[in-house]
């Protein structure tokens, strides 16, 4: 096999390596991408004793969405019911709380709000029957189906404002208390260093 070693002219020259005992360049897994998914795979594989390498096209890890997202650790309400995606999300949320505590990663268990916003064509002069809003009822049912049995309907704008006074007025919401906010960069980089 051949490895690339830098030469003194800063160009890489192939060198033959006949030493079968030298396995510095042999990996069990090569992971393409240094985002949160790639780093999670890296952590899981190295904890199982596998020798891994991450290949990232950019100069730094977490350069794109993984390093600058909202940091919401979702409980699965957005995933389609009875799918592998939802099952994996539910499994992940059960494991992340102990991990965050173990790694001393700042997080806030504040829940989330799925809001019903006024549509542009809604008539402002007519009160909306917010307590009977089918879309919020559907979100609530999906939340309960996903395992968020503590999710609750906040049918009035005043209910939402009481819970989150800095939010722009909406026409009601579903509060999902199981969701967490975490620093997306710090969480992700912790996966690489553990």
């Amino acid at each position: 096999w051949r490895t690339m070693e830098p030469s003194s002219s800063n160009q890489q020259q192939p060198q033959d390596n006949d030493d079968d005992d030298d396995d510095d360049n042999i990996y069990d897994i090569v992971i393409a991408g240094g985002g949160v998914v790639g780093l999670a795979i890296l952590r899981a594989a190295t904890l199982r004793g596998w020798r891994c390498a991450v290949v990232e096209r950019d100069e730094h890890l977490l350069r794109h969405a993984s390093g600058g997202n909202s940091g919401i650790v979702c409980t699965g309400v957005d995933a389609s019911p009875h799918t592998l995606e939802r099952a994996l999300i539910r499994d992940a949320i059960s494991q992340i709380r102990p991990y965050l505590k173990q790694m001393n990663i700042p997080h806030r268990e504040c829940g989330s709000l799925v809001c019903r916003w006024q549509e542009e064509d809604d008539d402002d002069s007519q009160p909306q029957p917010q307590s009977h809003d089918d879309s919020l009822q559907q979100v609530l049912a999906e939340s309960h189906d996903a395992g968020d049995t503590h999710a609750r309907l906040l049918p009035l704008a005043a209910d939402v404002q009481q819970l989150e006074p800095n939010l722009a007025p909406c026409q009601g919401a579903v509060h999902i208390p199981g969701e967490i906010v975490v620093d997306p960069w710090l969480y992700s980089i912790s996966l690489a260093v553990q």
Side-chain angles (χ1 to χ4, degrees), residues 4-14:
M4 301 297 283
E5 296 291 334
S7 68
S8 59
S9 64
N10 290 333
Q11 294 181 351
Q12 293 187 348
Q13 302 293 324

Side-chain angles (χ1 to χ4, degrees), residues 45-78:
T46 55
L47 288 177
R48 287 172 177 76
W50 296 348
R51 190 175 153 116
C52 303
V54 173
V55 179
E56 171 58 51
R57 70 177 173 188
D58 291 319
E59 185 179 356
H60 301 287
L61 298 174
L62 306 168
R63 178 95 187 234
H64 298 282
S66 293
N69 64 59
S70 64
I72 295 174
V73 180
C74 175
T75 59
V77 69
D78 293 340

Side-chain angles (χ1 to χ4, degrees), residues 179-190:
E179 297 197 345
I180 302 168
V181 176
V182 65
D183 179 323
W185 188 87
L186 188 57
Y187 166 72
S188 300
I189 207 69
S190 77

Side-chain angles (χ1 to χ4, degrees), residues 125-142:
S125 63
Q126 299 296 318
Q128 300 294 319
Q130 296 160 345
S131 61
H132 302 291
D133 185 7
D134 290 339
S135 62
L136 288 180
Q137 290 292 345
Q138 183 178 353
V139 170
L140 182 63
E142 289 174 3

